[in-house]
mmCIF file of all heavy atoms in Angstrom:
data_model
loop_
_atom_site.group_PDB
_atom_site.id
_atom_site.type_symbol
_atom_site.label_atom_id
_atom_site.label_comp_id
_atom_site.label_asym_id
_atom_site.label_seq_id
_atom_site.Cartn_x
_atom_site.Cartn_y
_atom_site.Cartn_z
ATOM 1 N N GLY A 1 70.928 106.343 130.756
ATOM 2 C CA GLY A 1 72.248 106.398 131.581
ATOM 3 C C GLY A 1 72.267 107.555 132.493
ATOM 4 O O GLY A 1 73.215 107.666 133.106
ATOM 5 N N ILE A 2 71.282 108.451 132.474
ATOM 6 C CA ILE A 2 71.223 109.578 133.282
ATOM 7 C C ILE A 2 69.924 109.615 134.107
ATOM 8 O O ILE A 2 68.776 109.475 133.366
ATOM 9 C CB ILE A 2 71.334 110.930 132.574
ATOM 10 C CG1 ILE A 2 72.639 110.972 131.827
ATOM 11 C CG2 ILE A 2 71.097 112.144 133.468
ATOM 12 C CD1 ILE A 2 73.018 112.172 131.105
ATOM 13 N N ALA A 3 70.045 109.516 135.428
ATOM 14 C CA ALA A 3 68.777 109.541 136.204
ATOM 15 C C ALA A 3 68.884 110.338 137.541
ATOM 16 O O ALA A 3 70.084 110.545 138.014
ATOM 17 C CB ALA A 3 68.638 108.045 136.664
ATOM 18 N N PRO A 4 67.864 110.930 137.927
ATOM 19 C CA PRO A 4 67.820 111.666 139.209
ATOM 20 C C PRO A 4 68.131 110.739 140.407
ATOM 21 O O PRO A 4 67.779 109.458 140.338
ATOM 22 C CB PRO A 4 66.382 112.244 139.266
ATOM 23 C CG PRO A 4 65.563 111.406 138.424
ATOM 24 C CD PRO A 4 66.469 110.753 137.380
ATOM 25 N N TYR A 5 68.704 111.228 141.457
ATOM 26 C CA TYR A 5 69.093 110.482 142.542
ATOM 27 C C TYR A 5 68.825 111.233 143.926
ATOM 28 O O TYR A 5 69.187 112.436 143.857
ATOM 29 C CB TYR A 5 70.564 110.090 142.406
ATOM 30 C CG TYR A 5 71.124 109.438 143.739
ATOM 31 C CD1 TYR A 5 70.948 108.059 143.863
ATOM 32 C CD2 TYR A 5 71.779 110.125 144.675
ATOM 33 C CE1 TYR A 5 71.505 107.419 144.961
ATOM 34 C CE2 TYR A 5 72.344 109.551 145.736
ATOM 35 C CZ TYR A 5 72.172 108.171 145.927
ATOM 36 O OH TYR A 5 72.606 107.549 147.058
ATOM 37 N N GLY A 6 68.385 110.551 144.839
ATOM 38 C CA GLY A 6 68.426 111.127 146.225
ATOM 39 C C GLY A 6 67.261 111.961 146.628
ATOM 40 O O GLY A 6 67.195 112.383 147.836
ATOM 41 N N ALA A 7 66.460 112.425 145.836
ATOM 42 C CA ALA A 7 65.295 113.263 146.144
ATOM 43 C C ALA A 7 64.220 113.218 144.991
ATOM 44 O O ALA A 7 64.339 112.409 144.133
ATOM 45 C CB ALA A 7 65.820 114.742 146.199
ATOM 46 N N GLU A 8 63.187 114.006 145.119
ATOM 47 C CA GLU A 8 62.250 114.153 144.077
ATOM 48 C C GLU A 8 62.997 114.593 142.901
ATOM 49 O O GLU A 8 64.023 115.359 142.977
ATOM 50 C CB GLU A 8 61.228 115.218 144.527
ATOM 51 C CG GLU A 8 60.346 114.778 145.471
ATOM 52 C CD GLU A 8 59.317 113.753 145.235
ATOM 53 O OE1 GLU A 8 58.874 113.560 144.125
ATOM 54 O OE2 GLU A 8 59.154 112.797 146.227
ATOM 55 N N PRO A 9 62.592 114.095 141.688
ATOM 56 C CA PRO A 9 63.265 114.406 140.450
ATOM 57 C C PRO A 9 63.581 115.970 140.247
ATOM 58 O O PRO A 9 64.632 116.317 139.846
ATOM 59 C CB PRO A 9 62.425 113.851 139.369
ATOM 60 C CG PRO A 9 61.673 112.691 140.059
ATOM 61 C CD PRO A 9 61.470 113.174 141.378
ATOM 62 N N TRP A 10 62.500 116.849 140.599
ATOM 63 C CA TRP A 10 62.623 118.191 140.198
ATOM 64 C C TRP A 10 63.840 118.793 141.174
ATOM 65 O O TRP A 10 64.541 119.599 140.810
ATOM 66 C CB TRP A 10 61.410 118.913 140.445
ATOM 67 C CG TRP A 10 60.967 118.941 141.845
ATOM 68 C CD1 TRP A 10 60.020 118.028 142.428
ATOM 69 C CD2 TRP A 10 61.251 119.932 142.857
ATOM 70 N NE1 TRP A 10 59.782 118.385 143.764
ATOM 71 C CE2 TRP A 10 60.451 119.489 144.009
ATOM 72 C CE3 TRP A 10 62.001 121.074 142.950
ATOM 73 C CZ2 TRP A 10 60.526 120.169 145.242
ATOM 74 C CZ3 TRP A 10 61.964 121.702 144.159
ATOM 75 C CH2 TRP A 10 61.206 121.317 145.286
ATOM 76 N N LEU A 11 63.876 118.343 142.495
ATOM 77 C CA LEU A 11 64.923 118.770 143.303
ATOM 78 C C LEU A 11 66.338 118.279 142.980
ATOM 79 O O LEU A 11 67.261 118.984 143.102
ATOM 80 C CB LEU A 11 64.622 118.373 144.730
ATOM 81 C CG LEU A 11 65.530 118.832 145.810
ATOM 82 C CD1 LEU A 11 65.552 120.362 145.849
ATOM 83 C CD2 LEU A 11 65.089 118.389 147.204
ATOM 84 N N ALA A 12 66.378 116.996 142.516
ATOM 85 C CA ALA A 12 67.511 116.416 141.959
ATOM 86 C C ALA A 12 68.209 117.165 140.833
ATOM 87 O O ALA A 12 69.329 117.489 140.752
ATOM 88 C CB ALA A 12 67.360 114.950 141.674
ATOM 89 N N PHE A 13 67.249 117.551 139.909
ATOM 90 C CA PHE A 13 67.638 118.387 138.706
ATOM 91 C C PHE A 13 68.135 119.751 139.090
ATOM 92 O O PHE A 13 69.136 120.282 138.632
ATOM 93 C CB PHE A 13 66.541 118.426 137.636
ATOM 94 C CG PHE A 13 66.263 117.081 137.114
ATOM 95 C CD1 PHE A 13 64.914 116.725 136.940
ATOM 96 C CD2 PHE A 13 67.096 116.122 136.700
ATOM 97 C CE1 PHE A 13 64.478 115.540 136.382
ATOM 98 C CE2 PHE A 13 66.773 114.988 136.149
ATOM 99 C CZ PHE A 13 65.511 114.663 136.042
ATOM 100 N N LEU A 14 67.461 120.325 140.125
ATOM 101 C CA LEU A 14 67.856 121.668 140.598
ATOM 102 C C LEU A 14 69.183 121.612 141.361
ATOM 103 O O LEU A 14 70.073 122.451 141.090
ATOM 104 C CB LEU A 14 66.755 122.204 141.569
ATOM 105 C CG LEU A 14 66.953 123.546 142.048
ATOM 106 C CD1 LEU A 14 66.849 124.527 140.764
ATOM 107 C CD2 LEU A 14 65.926 124.013 143.029
ATOM 108 N N MET A 15 69.468 120.604 142.106
ATOM 109 C CA MET A 15 70.831 120.438 142.781
ATOM 110 C C MET A 15 71.919 120.178 141.696
ATOM 111 O O MET A 15 72.968 120.631 141.890
ATOM 112 C CB MET A 15 70.709 119.257 143.790
ATOM 113 C CG MET A 15 69.936 119.525 145.022
ATOM 114 S SD MET A 15 70.356 120.943 145.916
ATOM 115 C CE MET A 15 69.049 122.103 145.652
ATOM 116 N N ALA A 16 71.553 119.429 140.764
ATOM 117 C CA ALA A 16 72.567 119.178 139.677
ATOM 118 C C ALA A 16 72.871 120.499 138.865
ATOM 119 O O ALA A 16 74.016 120.745 138.630
ATOM 120 C CB ALA A 16 72.116 118.113 138.642
ATOM 121 N N SER A 17 71.855 121.287 138.722
ATOM 122 C CA SER A 17 72.058 122.544 138.083
ATOM 123 C C SER A 17 72.866 123.544 138.871
ATOM 124 O O SER A 17 73.699 124.203 138.358
ATOM 125 C CB SER A 17 70.653 123.230 137.817
ATOM 126 O OG SER A 17 70.805 124.444 137.261
ATOM 127 N N LEU A 18 72.695 123.541 140.123
ATOM 128 C CA LEU A 18 73.447 124.389 141.117
ATOM 129 C C LEU A 18 74.910 123.929 141.098
ATOM 130 O O LEU A 18 75.800 124.746 141.063
ATOM 131 C CB LEU A 18 72.854 124.374 142.514
ATOM 132 C CG LEU A 18 71.583 125.142 142.801
ATOM 133 C CD1 LEU A 18 71.046 124.836 144.132
ATOM 134 C CD2 LEU A 18 71.968 126.564 142.601
ATOM 135 N N SER A 19 75.096 122.641 141.152
ATOM 136 C CA SER A 19 76.575 122.048 141.180
ATOM 137 C C SER A 19 77.140 122.364 139.766
ATOM 138 O O SER A 19 78.341 122.619 139.777
ATOM 139 C CB SER A 19 76.679 120.745 141.556
ATOM 140 O OG SER A 19 75.845 119.861 140.733
ATOM 141 N N LEU A 20 76.482 122.368 138.687
ATOM 142 C CA LEU A 20 76.992 122.664 137.434
ATOM 143 C C LEU A 20 77.400 124.035 137.373
ATOM 144 O O LEU A 20 78.448 124.409 136.676
ATOM 145 C CB LEU A 20 76.025 122.211 136.324
ATOM 146 C CG LEU A 20 76.494 122.240 134.851
ATOM 147 C CD1 LEU A 20 77.605 121.349 134.708
ATOM 148 C CD2 LEU A 20 75.384 121.914 133.928
ATOM 149 N N GLY A 21 76.482 124.986 137.838
ATOM 150 C CA GLY A 21 76.945 126.415 137.868
ATOM 151 C C GLY A 21 78.156 126.636 138.723
ATOM 152 O O GLY A 21 79.078 127.460 138.307
ATOM 153 N N PHE A 22 78.269 126.003 139.795
ATOM 154 C CA PHE A 22 79.491 126.028 140.652
ATOM 155 C C PHE A 22 80.811 125.646 139.953
ATOM 156 O O PHE A 22 81.774 126.393 139.888
ATOM 157 C CB PHE A 22 79.329 125.237 141.952
ATOM 158 C CG PHE A 22 80.469 125.054 142.721
ATOM 159 C CD1 PHE A 22 80.884 126.194 143.540
ATOM 160 C CD2 PHE A 22 81.246 123.894 142.752
ATOM 161 C CE1 PHE A 22 82.018 126.029 144.411
ATOM 162 C CE2 PHE A 22 82.363 123.720 143.472
ATOM 163 C CZ PHE A 22 82.785 124.819 144.261
ATOM 164 N N VAL A 23 80.641 124.406 139.272
ATOM 165 C CA VAL A 23 81.690 123.895 138.465
ATOM 166 C C VAL A 23 82.151 124.724 137.433
ATOM 167 O O VAL A 23 83.333 124.968 137.197
ATOM 168 C CB VAL A 23 81.399 122.429 138.089
ATOM 169 C CG1 VAL A 23 82.494 121.946 137.095
ATOM 170 C CG2 VAL A 23 81.382 121.508 139.301
ATOM 171 N N ASN A 24 81.147 125.219 136.590
ATOM 172 C CA ASN A 24 81.447 126.074 135.512
ATOM 173 C C ASN A 24 82.011 127.376 135.834
ATOM 174 O O ASN A 24 82.813 127.945 135.063
ATOM 175 C CB ASN A 24 80.150 126.186 134.713
ATOM 176 C CG ASN A 24 79.901 125.062 133.808
ATOM 177 O OD1 ASN A 24 80.717 124.233 133.596
ATOM 178 N ND2 ASN A 24 78.694 124.888 133.342
ATOM 179 N N ALA A 25 81.664 127.843 137.012
ATOM 180 C CA ALA A 25 82.172 129.211 137.533
ATOM 181 C C ALA A 25 83.567 129.104 137.976
ATOM 182 O O ALA A 25 84.409 130.024 137.884
ATOM 183 C CB ALA A 25 81.268 129.922 138.413
ATOM 184 N N LEU A 26 83.879 128.071 138.829
ATOM 185 C CA LEU A 26 85.238 127.995 139.619
ATOM 186 C C LEU A 26 86.138 127.004 138.996
ATOM 187 O O LEU A 26 87.337 127.358 138.998
ATOM 188 C CB LEU A 26 84.824 127.603 141.016
ATOM 189 C CG LEU A 26 83.969 128.590 141.751
ATOM 190 C CD1 LEU A 26 83.707 128.073 143.185
ATOM 191 C CD2 LEU A 26 84.661 129.966 141.814
ATOM 192 N N ILE A 27 85.793 125.964 138.538
ATOM 193 C CA ILE A 27 86.727 124.949 138.092
ATOM 194 C C ILE A 27 86.968 124.878 136.608
ATOM 195 O O ILE A 27 88.125 124.792 136.240
ATOM 196 C CB ILE A 27 86.364 123.565 138.580
ATOM 197 C CG1 ILE A 27 86.205 123.512 140.064
ATOM 198 C CG2 ILE A 27 87.314 122.496 138.124
ATOM 199 C CD1 ILE A 27 85.469 122.336 140.728
ATOM 200 N N LYS A 28 85.936 125.088 135.795
ATOM 201 C CA LYS A 28 86.143 125.049 134.360
ATOM 202 C C LYS A 28 87.112 126.075 133.805
ATOM 203 O O LYS A 28 87.883 125.663 132.937
ATOM 204 C CB LYS A 28 84.790 125.101 133.618
ATOM 205 C CG LYS A 28 84.884 124.961 132.182
ATOM 206 C CD LYS A 28 83.508 125.077 131.538
ATOM 207 C CE LYS A 28 83.618 124.838 129.944
ATOM 208 N NZ LYS A 28 82.406 125.018 129.297
ATOM 209 N N PRO A 29 87.126 127.324 134.291
ATOM 210 C CA PRO A 29 88.197 128.182 133.661
ATOM 211 C C PRO A 29 89.608 127.740 133.863
ATOM 212 O O PRO A 29 90.484 127.854 132.934
ATOM 213 C CB PRO A 29 87.921 129.491 134.458
ATOM 214 C CG PRO A 29 86.583 129.484 134.936
ATOM 215 C CD PRO A 29 86.241 127.989 135.161
ATOM 216 N N VAL A 30 89.928 127.044 135.040
ATOM 217 C CA VAL A 30 91.255 126.614 135.345
ATOM 218 C C VAL A 30 91.521 125.500 134.351
ATOM 219 O O VAL A 30 92.611 125.427 133.656
ATOM 220 C CB VAL A 30 91.392 126.241 136.770
ATOM 221 C CG1 VAL A 30 92.800 125.523 137.127
ATOM 222 C CG2 VAL A 30 91.170 127.371 137.717
ATOM 223 N N VAL A 31 90.562 124.446 134.199
ATOM 224 C CA VAL A 31 90.847 123.347 133.289
ATOM 225 C C VAL A 31 90.953 123.760 131.911
ATOM 226 O O VAL A 31 91.816 123.227 131.236
ATOM 227 C CB VAL A 31 89.686 122.354 133.548
ATOM 228 C CG1 VAL A 31 89.690 121.241 132.522
ATOM 229 C CG2 VAL A 31 89.809 121.778 134.996
ATOM 230 N N THR A 32 90.175 124.722 131.539
ATOM 231 C CA THR A 32 90.284 125.280 130.129
ATOM 232 C C THR A 32 91.633 125.894 129.917
ATOM 233 O O THR A 32 92.182 125.711 128.754
ATOM 234 C CB THR A 32 89.088 126.294 129.867
ATOM 235 O OG1 THR A 32 87.795 125.600 130.092
ATOM 236 C CG2 THR A 32 89.069 126.900 128.434
ATOM 237 N N LEU A 33 92.127 126.657 130.798
ATOM 238 C CA LEU A 33 93.404 127.222 130.750
ATOM 239 C C LEU A 33 94.485 126.173 130.529
ATOM 240 O O LEU A 33 95.373 126.310 129.669
ATOM 241 C CB LEU A 33 93.653 128.211 131.781
ATOM 242 C CG LEU A 33 94.978 128.993 131.786
ATOM 243 C CD1 LEU A 33 94.840 130.038 130.532
ATOM 244 C CD2 LEU A 33 95.158 129.805 133.081
ATOM 245 N N ILE A 34 94.456 125.172 131.297
ATOM 246 C CA ILE A 34 95.407 124.144 131.320
ATOM 247 C C ILE A 34 95.349 123.307 130.009
ATOM 248 O O ILE A 34 96.329 122.880 129.519
ATOM 249 C CB ILE A 34 95.255 123.180 132.553
ATOM 250 C CG1 ILE A 34 95.633 123.896 133.804
ATOM 251 C CG2 ILE A 34 96.114 121.921 132.400
ATOM 252 C CD1 ILE A 34 95.227 123.254 134.990
ATOM 253 N N SER A 35 94.112 123.181 129.505
ATOM 254 C CA SER A 35 93.969 122.333 128.334
ATOM 255 C C SER A 35 94.025 123.115 127.057
ATOM 256 O O SER A 35 93.791 122.594 125.928
ATOM 257 C CB SER A 35 92.591 121.622 128.332
ATOM 258 O OG SER A 35 91.536 122.656 128.163
ATOM 259 N N ILE A 36 94.512 124.359 126.998
ATOM 260 C CA ILE A 36 94.669 125.180 125.698
ATOM 261 C C ILE A 36 95.543 124.430 124.681
ATOM 262 O O ILE A 36 95.139 124.378 123.507
ATOM 263 C CB ILE A 36 95.255 126.512 126.047
ATOM 264 C CG1 ILE A 36 94.211 127.347 126.689
ATOM 265 C CG2 ILE A 36 95.641 127.158 124.732
ATOM 266 C CD1 ILE A 36 94.489 128.854 127.098
ATOM 267 N N PRO A 37 96.657 123.819 125.089
ATOM 268 C CA PRO A 37 97.405 123.153 123.950
ATOM 269 C C PRO A 37 96.597 121.962 123.306
ATOM 270 O O PRO A 37 96.539 121.905 122.044
ATOM 271 C CB PRO A 37 98.594 122.561 124.623
ATOM 272 C CG PRO A 37 98.879 123.423 125.865
ATOM 273 C CD PRO A 37 97.446 123.870 126.304
ATOM 274 N N ALA A 38 95.931 121.186 124.088
ATOM 275 C CA ALA A 38 95.123 120.103 123.509
ATOM 276 C C ALA A 38 93.920 120.691 122.635
ATOM 277 O O ALA A 38 93.563 120.119 121.655
ATOM 278 C CB ALA A 38 94.593 119.190 124.555
ATOM 279 N N THR A 39 93.354 121.799 123.106
ATOM 280 C CA THR A 39 92.288 122.345 122.398
ATOM 281 C C THR A 39 92.799 122.967 121.115
ATOM 282 O O THR A 39 92.042 122.780 120.051
ATOM 283 C CB THR A 39 91.603 123.502 123.256
ATOM 284 O OG1 THR A 39 91.186 123.033 124.495
ATOM 285 C CG2 THR A 39 90.496 124.116 122.480
ATOM 286 N N ILE A 40 93.980 123.478 121.035
ATOM 287 C CA ILE A 40 94.484 124.040 119.785
ATOM 288 C C ILE A 40 94.841 122.909 118.835
ATOM 289 O O ILE A 40 94.510 122.936 117.645
ATOM 290 C CB ILE A 40 95.839 124.938 120.102
ATOM 291 C CG1 ILE A 40 95.344 126.250 120.774
ATOM 292 C CG2 ILE A 40 96.561 125.246 118.764
ATOM 293 C CD1 ILE A 40 96.442 127.065 121.299
ATOM 294 N N VAL A 41 95.416 121.876 119.317
ATOM 295 C CA VAL A 41 95.846 120.768 118.474
ATOM 296 C C VAL A 41 94.564 120.039 117.791
ATOM 297 O O VAL A 41 94.629 119.675 116.694
ATOM 298 C CB VAL A 41 96.691 119.681 119.191
ATOM 299 C CG1 VAL A 41 96.842 118.409 118.511
ATOM 300 C CG2 VAL A 41 97.961 120.288 119.627
#
C-alpha cells in the first residue's frame, strides 16, 4: 500500500523524506500541542 510515485524510486523516497522533515519541523509541533488532551487521555 506504499509505493514511489512520479520519479525514479530513489528520488521519490528522497522527496518524501524532505517533505516529512518539513512537516515534522513546522506542522507537527502545532498539532501535538493541540492534541495534548487526547494524548493525555
Side-chain angles (χ1 to χ4, degrees):
I2 298 186
Y5 172 82
E8 293 292 322
W10 66 270
L11 185 59
F13 297 137
L14 189 62
M15 292 300 111
S17 174
L18 284 171
S19 62
L20 188 60
F22 169 78
V23 166
N24 282 340
L26 298 177
I27 299 169
K28 186 177 179 185
V30 175
V31 174
T32 300
L33 186 64
I34 292 169
S35 68
I36 285 175
T39 303
I40 290 171
V41 168

